[in-house]
Amino acid sequence: MVETIPPRSGAGFRLPKGAELTVIDPEGCQVADLLAFNADDLREVISSGRTLDYASRLYLTTGDPLYSNRSNVMLSILEDTVGRHDFLLTPCSKDTFRIIYGDTDPHRGCFGNLAAALEPYGVQPDMIPTAFNCFMNVPIDGTTGAFTVEPPLSKAGDFIRFRAEMDLVIGLTACSALQSNGGSFKPIHYRIDEAVPA
């Protein structure tokens, strides 16, 4: 069954080892921030630094593993119809909108949405790391290191599919930053397919 995350909101759920998670952009040009925690020990969490270090590149896609802070594989990317995602930038937050956009009454952003969605699982705000930002398009100048946030390359129906390599707690959003989403807020869909017994 396909679940819907409404615009500018988030969801938390368990993903058992071997199950597959498909994150779908139903309308196109919408980012989804993804977090993963070891369901048996929340101190083990998805790690941008270790994953990018081991991959030796910034843009991850089909066949790439996503590692934890303990260098264990948490998720494997099984299929990816877009090929451009971000694993550098932190979830947007009230501070993001205050500092970057100058908002005087800022939205709580993906950080706040993830904190609220993951609280029932025991995740506290200070435990939230850099997310794997599905569909986020962040080109980088190889000479200067400067980067920009551009509209996602995803079209309606594009998706990325993962397999859980351990029992996980997942946080997932429909991103709240206009710049990241091509200027409008849209929903994100996701589907969980349980592991098939051997």
Side-chain angles (χ1 to χ4, degrees):
M1 181 174 71
V2 174
E3 303 285 350
T4 298
I5 301 176
R8 302 192 99 182
S9 70
F13 50 89
R14 292 186 179 273
L15 186 68
K17 181 179 180 178
E20 295 178 5
L21 169 66
T22 305
V23 180
I24 306 158
D25 186 353
E27 297 181 19
C29 210
Q30 173 65 42
V31 170
D33 290 26
L34 172 70
L35 293 181
F37 295 81
N38 180 339
D40 297 318
D41 184 352
L42 296 174
R43 294 172 298 178
E44 184 169 18
V45 61
I46 194 169
S47 171
S48 167
R50 294 196 184 277
T51 300
L52 296 179
D53 190 9
Y54 303 150
S56 297
R57 65 180 185 281
L58 295 176
Y59 301 130
L60 306 175
T61 187
T62 304
D64 285 319
L66 305 185
Y67 286 88
S68 76
N69 57 321
R70 297 176 182 166
S71 295
N72 296 314
V73 178
M74 303 191 92
L75 292 159
S76 297
I77 303 176
L78 300 180
E79 190 175 4
D80 176 13
T81 64
V82 179
R84 178 60 65 90
H85 315 277
D86 169 69
F87 209 3
L88 293 176
L89 303 186
T90 188
C92 61
S93 65
K94 282 187 174 184
D95 291 325
T96 304
F97 299 128
R98 177 178 58 84
I99 293 170
I100 296 179
Y101 300 115
D103 292 356
T104 55
D105 184 23
H107 188 272
R108 68 182 185 178
C110 286
F111 185 90
N113 288 332
L114 287 165
L118 293 169
E119 183 180 13
Y121 299 94
V123 176
Q124 300 301 310
D126 283 345
M127 299 165 64
I128 293 175
T130 298
F132 182 81
N133 300 307
C134 304
F135 316 127
M136 191 171 183
N137 182 17
V138 183
I140 299 167
D141 185 306
T143 300
T144 67
F147 63 83
T148 57
V149 177
E150 302 295 338
L153 302 180
S154 53
K155 306 300 182 187
D158 274 335
F159 65 89
I160 181 170
R161 184 165 57 92
F162 306 89
R163 181 178 61 237
E165 304 298 352
M166 62 175 72
D167 292 336
L168 298 172
V169 171
I170 297 290
L172 189 64
T173 71
C175 180
S176 302
L178 274 174
Q179 185 181 17
S180 299
N181 301 300
S184 66
F185 304 121
K186 301 163 286 291
I188 284 290
H189 290 172
Y190 70 92
R191 185 181 73 245
I192 297 173
D193 295 303
E194 298 300 330
V196 177

